[in-house]
Amino acid sequence: MNIHEYQAKQLFRNYGIAVPDGKIADTDAAAAAIAADLGGDRWVVKAQIHAGGRGKAGGVKVVDSIDEVRRAADSIIGTTLVTHQTGKGGRLVQRVLVEKASNITKEFYLGMVIDRGSQRITVIASASGGMDIEEVAKVSPDKVISEVVDPAVGLLDFQSRKIAAAIGMSGKQIFAAAKMMKALYRCFRDKDASMVEINPLAEIDGEGLMAVDAKVSFDDNALFRLSDIAELRDFDEEDPKEVVASGHGLNYIALDGNVGCIVNGAGLAMGTMDAIAFHGGSPANFLDVGGGASPEKIGNAFRIVLGDVNVKVILVNIFAGINRCDWIAEGLVKAMQEQKIETPIVVRLAGTNLEAGQKILDESKLDFIMAETLDDAAAKVVDIAGKKSL
Ligand code: GDP
Ligand code: MN
């Protein structure tokens, strides 16, 4: 789960990480009032969406008067911002964060991620922070350094100082950065984060280091034990089909292809997507219906998959262990009849009660296209939906 910058900054404040003063507004008048309240003579108005790259897309504006704050807010709120992270469709901006502008003298990059290779939290830092960090990482990866943290002892002071020195800090700044890294590590670990990013980590004239931008993602599987984090979820930032699916206990991720997939088990769902891709097709989604797939669950899965207008054919791939093929078949027949589905459905069943399941599908006299194996099923759906144009 991702959160907004203003929420991440509040979280940082709780951990003693310095962030600019600011507040959230959903109208231009509220933005102007916040700026007047904050005082000073320079402010920054920032679009709040779950995507980076806002600066380059016109979603971050530094201004010098209250009237300009109002105009900046007016021009950002209600627009659809397209950044290199939003995809072509962009994201509707509903709120802006209004902050006192900081007098930035240098921009560093500081992040933490879980490195799958070492299976450990890893600190990533660079002296070349700011809006071109992706380019820096691509063109001169040597300018991005990383340090792996041993979970048994946490981030040690010498490691933080080493990182700070490696990105060109010296003197007191090294200790300030080390303190910030320690706080960030505690935040990452306490809140089951999967990624935190401060870009820029800014050196502010006369004020030391500050997190001028803040991005945090959390492990969804840990949200049950972190109610304070779970309530930060913004459903407006998520694919509505994914929100509905999670409400029905279905694990659904929307993709941009045309083959709808209804599968049990995350591994099999991945394998199914691979098989479709192998035959030259393109999956419209990842969908794991889970272990006990009741007819209601199957029905909901069809509703969600068919809610995607790009879907030309559906591949149902079930390997029944805990599930039973006859239950699945009943669910399929019920969904087909109740929802009057006209989209072609290719079905591949295997495992517990296979014969009983096949019998139910045969006797229904409905137009299921049966497949023997996953490979056969994938070939059939790609035949119907067409190959992905390259
Ligand atoms: P992003 O483009 O979505 O990552 O948004 P950021 O919050 O990182 O803002 C983009 C850029 O705007 C930063 O890299 C800064 O250069 C600039 N910026 C943001 N806030 C301030 C500020 O308070 N003062 C100044 N001078 N620049 C700022
Ligand atoms: Mn940024």
Side-chain angles (χ1 to χ4, degrees):
M1 183 188 87
N2 296 320
I3 58 173
H4 288 289
E5 175 192 10
Y6 77 93
Q7 297 168 319
K9 281 180 167 165
Q10 187 51 47
L11 186 62
F12 284 3
R13 269 188 206 108
N14 300 342
Y15 278 83
I17 297 169
V19 296
D21 284 340
K23 279 206 176 113
I24 199 83
D26 55 9
T27 63
D28 54 349
I34 290 166
D37 220 33
L38 289 168
D41 53 13
R42 240 170 137 222
W43 300 270
V44 48
V45 181
K46 312 181 77 175
Q48 297 299 288
I49 52 170
H50 285 185
R54 297 162 302 165
K56 286 197 169 166
V60 176
K61 295 204 161 98
V62 182
V63 294
D64 300 312
S65 70
I66 302 283
D67 200 45
E68 280 178 277
V69 168
R70 187 195 317 276
R71 271 186 275 143
D74 182 51
S75 74
I76 295 173
I77 295 169
T79 56
T80 300
L81 200 61
V82 181
T83 81
H84 68 90
Q85 288 187 5
T86 59
K88 285 193 291 276
R91 284 283 171 79
L92 176 68
V93 184
Q94 296 185 319
R95 279 155 303 184
V96 289
L97 173 62
V98 182
E99 289 181 334
K100 245 182 166 158
S102 315
N103 199 358
I104 302 175
T105 45
K106 179 155 178 58
E107 298 193 334
F108 299 95
Y109 175 96
L110 177 64
M112 289 183 193
V113 290
I114 294 172
D115 171 38
R116 288 176 185 243
S118 60
Q119 302 178 2
R120 290 178 173 193
I121 297 173
T122 299
V123 183
I124 299 170
S126 177
S128 312
M131 294 193 281
D132 293 317
I133 189 68
E134 277 94 357
E135 193 63 17
V136 172
K138 205 157 58 182
V139 179
S140 33
D142 51 303
K143 287 196 178 147
V144 179
I145 61 137
S146 62
E147 179 78 16
V148 175
V149 182
D150 183 337
V153 291
L155 179 65
L156 296 171
D157 288 340
F158 88 89
Q159 290 183 294
S160 314
R161 293 198 295 267
K162 189 167 96 181
I163 297 162
I167 58 174
M169 295 182 176
S170 62
K172 277 194 194 148
Q173 198 170 49
I174 291 191
F175 292 92
K179 200 171 152 217
M180 189 186 272
M181 282 182 225
K182 210 166 180 172
L184 194 63
Y185 178 79
R186 271 202 303 129
C187 174
F188 192 109
R189 190 202 50 197
D190 293 358
K191 301 300 179 188
D192 290 305
S194 52
M195 194 270 315
V196 303
E197 192 177 69
I198 301 179
N199 185 35
L201 163 60
E203 178 188 272
I204 313 290
D205 200 15
E207 284 183 68
L209 295 170
M210 208 181 247
V212 162
D213 191 8
K215 212 167 173 194
V216 186
S217 308
F218 303 91
D219 183 342
D220 290 359
N221 294 311
L223 292 175
F224 75 94
R225 63 180 187 185
L226 292 167
S227 55
D228 57 328
I229 300 297
E231 70 189 25
L232 300 179
R233 185 165 171 190
D234 181 356
F235 291 103
D236 287 344
E237 289 285 324
E238 296 178 26
D239 185 307
K241 292 198 291 301
E242 291 180 13
V243 175
V244 172
S246 79
H248 290 306
L250 299 164
N251 207 341
Y252 171 91
I253 312 276
L255 300 166
D256 56 10
N258 59 11
V259 180
C261 303
I262 296 178
V263 188
N264 72 312
L268 189 61
M270 296 294 282
T272 305
M273 289 161 55
D274 279 352
I276 293 166
F278 178 78
H279 282 275
S282 172
N285 65 280
F286 166 101
L287 199 164
D288 170 13
V289 296
S294 62
E296 288 70 33
K297 229 169 167 185
I298 295 286
N300 287 327
F302 272 103
R303 258 177 230 114
I304 289 159
V305 170
L306 288 167
D308 178 350
V309 293
N310 295 321
V311 168
K312 288 211 175 94
V313 55
I314 295 176
L315 170 46
V316 179
N317 184 21
I318 303 288
F319 188 94
I322 302 169
N323 271 317
R324 286 172 31 182
C325 290
D326 50 334
W327 291 344
I328 299 286
E330 278 171 27
L332 288 176
V333 170
K334 199 160 172 240
M336 189 88 152
Q337 286 168 340
E338 286 182 1
Q339 297 179 42
K340 304 187 173 36
I341 299 171
E342 286 174 6
T343 310
I345 302 175
V346 175
V347 183
R348 179 258 178 169
L349 297 176
T352 310
N353 290 3
L354 172 62
E355 292 76 15
Q358 273 168 337
K359 192 157 171 259
I360 291 169
L361 294 184
D362 286 346
E363 288 175 356
S364 74
K365 304 273 181 263
L366 293 166
D367 262 341
F368 294 106
I369 303 162
M370 298 307 293
E372 284 289 316
T373 62
L374 171 53
D375 193 56
D376 178 28
K380 282 183 168 137
V381 289
V382 175
D383 202 42
I384 297 167
K387 287 195 200 270
K388 187 181 179 176
S389 51
L390 294 172

